[in-house]
Amino acid sequence: GHWIRFRLRLPSGGDAYGATVSASIGNRRIHRDVQVSGSYLASSDPRVHIGLGKYDRIRKVSVRWPSGEIEEFGDFIGGETIVLLFGEGQP
């Protein structure tokens, strides 16, 4: 199946831990959190990986940043890692 990955970055250059990506795939709306949960001396990849299944694109991507602000980023074609920067979306 198809996939897409998002890396959410803050102006400071750090990852936006605690942010939530929301998007539409077909007729479903999904939500994924940016987290690096892990165990002692280990962590997970901070990128958000979303499986698209038979769909080749994701629509209406929005991000709720750790500050609580929400920005819209639009639609994307799958198969890539997209960097979303705080302040570059539409409020």
Side-chain angles (χ1 to χ4, degrees):
H2 299 279
W3 59 272
I4 193 165
R5 258 190 316 248
F6 294 103
R7 182 132 194 204
L8 280 61
R9 304 293 292 206
L10 299 171
S12 64
D15 291 302
Y17 301 127
T20 301
V21 176
S22 300
S24 295
I25 303 169
N27 61 357
R28 295 181 336 157
R29 187 83 177 154
I30 58 102
H31 311 280
R32 298 287 186 270
D33 296 326
V34 177
Q35 55 186 346
V36 289
S37 59
S39 61
Y40 181 70
L41 297 178
S43 66
S44 300
D45 189 343
R47 296 176 296 181
V48 174
H49 181 93
I50 300 172
L52 303 177
K54 66 180 180 180
Y55 299 98
D56 65 349
R57 65 188 64 234
I58 192 165
R59 299 179 297 108
K60 300 179 184 173
V61 175
S62 65
V63 175
R64 180 181 189 90
W65 298 98
S67 64
E69 295 179 62
I70 298 173
E71 290 183 317
E72 304 288 330
F73 288 90
D75 303 345
F76 296 95
I77 301 291
E80 297 186 67
T81 299
I82 309 292
V83 177
L84 302 178
L85 299 171
F86 177 78
E88 291 192 356
Q90 299 295 316

